[in-house]
């Protein structure tokens, strides 16, 4: 288990980039599963539209990973994290809508 004494400060940037990549991958996977659920449930247009929106959001997260710091320090990071939270909420709501419509 790494604590404050064992963490390597030079790797903080690499860990941040990996966290942004994981977030983008999570949203993309949610988009793919949403599309599959919509297609299997007869909601082709809704499933594909929701998946498209989520895949665009995942691409935006992935591309934004390197621009968090230049946004203006802590304020920029807060905005980026708020945007990430919004995309996460959007993905959950879209997935829920597709699942309910497919039932």
């Amino acid at each position: 288990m790494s604590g404050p004494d064992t963490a390597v400060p030079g790797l903080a940037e690499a860990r941040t980039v990996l966290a942004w990549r994981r977030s983008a991958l999570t949203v993309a996977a949610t988009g793919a599963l949403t599309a599959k659920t919509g297609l299997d449930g007869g909601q082709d247009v809704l499933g594909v539209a929701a998946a498209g929106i989520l895949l665009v959001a995942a691409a935006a997260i992935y591309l934004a990973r390197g621009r968090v710091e230049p946004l203006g320090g802590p304020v920029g990071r807060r905005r980026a994290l708020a945007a990430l939270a919004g995309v996460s909420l959007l993905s959950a709501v879209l997935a829920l809508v597709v699942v309910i419509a497919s039932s």
Side-chain angles (χ1 to χ4, degrees), residues 78-93:
R78 272 188 247 127
R79 286 183 184 159
L81 290 175
L84 180 59
V87 167
S88 297
L89 180 63
L90 174 69
S91 68
V93 168

Side-chain angles (χ1 to χ4, degrees), residues 33-60:
L33 291 173
T34 301
K36 181 174 179 358
T37 302
L39 293 172
D40 290 347
Q43 298 293 327
D44 298 346
V45 175
L46 181 62
V48 171
I53 291 169
L54 293 176
L55 291 176
V56 168

Side-chain angles (χ1 to χ4, degrees), residues 6 15 19 26 29 34 42 47 64 70 83 85 89 91 102:
T6 60
R15 288 190 301 266
T26 300
T34 301
L89 180 63
S91 68
S102 296

